[in-house]
Amino acid sequence: MSGSLPQVRVFHDLEALSRGAADFFLSIANTAAPRGRFTVALSVGSTPRRFYSLLGAVPYRESIDWEKAHVFWADERCVPADHGESNFRLAADAFLSHVALPKEHIHRIRAEEEPERAAREYEKDLRSFFSPGPYPVFDLIILGVGEDGHTASLFPGSPALREKKRLAVPVHPP
């Protein structure tokens, strides 16, 4: 979508939104794959659950070159990976465990660790993967907006909004 104008698409229900998102994901993945890799950062919540389950099912799981995909997270809750509130777990259950994505292409936030340590380790992973650039450049970032206006654990008034150097910081929701 480089150089294209933003588009707003309105869907009549969650199923139509989910299918539209899966089609868009497929399009971006297939556009990026010839360059050698497709990078995506995920957010989770109740809305993308159906979208993610579509990615893990036919025809999407067979139409994406998962060998070239690298999956990152926009945010994560400070819980173990197998916890019911883990963003990683939702994505793993919905689609990651159903596609041929190499395990080393899953760049999860180790949220079971102490938050500051987890953020620093995730930042190292981001910087290493996206080197030599100063910032990650993803092919696609999936974001939602919470009722309070937050996105990717960036809550209104949070000190994280003033961060200028770090790529990942622990956030304490209000």
Side-chain angles (χ1 to χ4, degrees), residues 154-166 169:
L154 297 171
F155 294 89
S158 169
L161 295 172
R162 294 186 294 278
E163 179 57 49
K164 302 279 190 224
K165 295 179 183 170
R166 293 183 58 190
V169 295

Side-chain angles (χ1 to χ4, degrees), residues 30-42:
N30 288 339
T31 299
R35 294 193 319 263
R37 72 182 190 196
F38 163 58
T39 56
V40 60
L42 305 178

Side-chain angles (χ1 to χ4, degrees), residues 2-86:
S2 178
S4 64
L5 294 173
Q7 297 177 12
V8 175
R9 294 183 62 199
V10 178
F11 297 91
H12 63 278
D13 61 21
L14 182 58
E15 184 65 21
L17 169 65
S18 299
R19 290 191 180 280
D23 289 341
F24 187 72
F25 187 103
L26 173 64
S27 173
I28 299 297
N30 288 339
T31 299
R35 294 193 319 263
R37 72 182 190 196
F38 163 58
T39 56
V40 60
L42 305 178
S43 270
V44 186
S46 58
T47 304
R49 186 181 314 263
R50 175 66 179 140
F51 157 49
Y52 291 156
S53 70
L54 287 169
L55 293 178
V58 174
Y60 298 99
R61 76 170 174 219
E62 296 170 351
S63 301
I64 295 170
D65 186 351
W66 293 104
E67 290 284 327
K68 293 184 178 166
H70 286 265
V71 177
F72 294 82
W73 270 258
D75 64 347
E76 179 60 283
R77 293 178 178 96
C78 294
V79 296
D82 61 353
H83 191 279
E85 292 190 17
S86 166

Side-chain angles (χ1 to χ4, degrees), residues 67-128:
E67 290 284 327
K68 293 184 178 166
H70 286 265
V71 177
F72 294 82
W73 270 258
D75 64 347
E76 179 60 283
R77 293 178 178 96
C78 294
V79 296
D82 61 353
H83 191 279
E85 292 190 17
S86 166
N87 291 346
F88 169 78
R89 179 177 172 191
L90 186 144
D93 289 351
F95 83 97
L96 295 176
S97 62
H98 303 286
V99 300
L101 179 68
K103 282 188 172 202
E104 62 273 13
H105 290 198
I106 299 173
H107 304 266
R108 78 174 188 87
I109 300 168
R110 306 259 176 233
E112 65 276 12
E113 295 181 8
E114 185 273 323
E116 180 62 36
R117 179 178 176 177
R120 292 221 181 260
E121 287 178 8
Y122 192 59
E123 180 173 5
K124 284 181 192 174
D125 188 15
L126 289 167
R127 290 195 186 279
S128 173

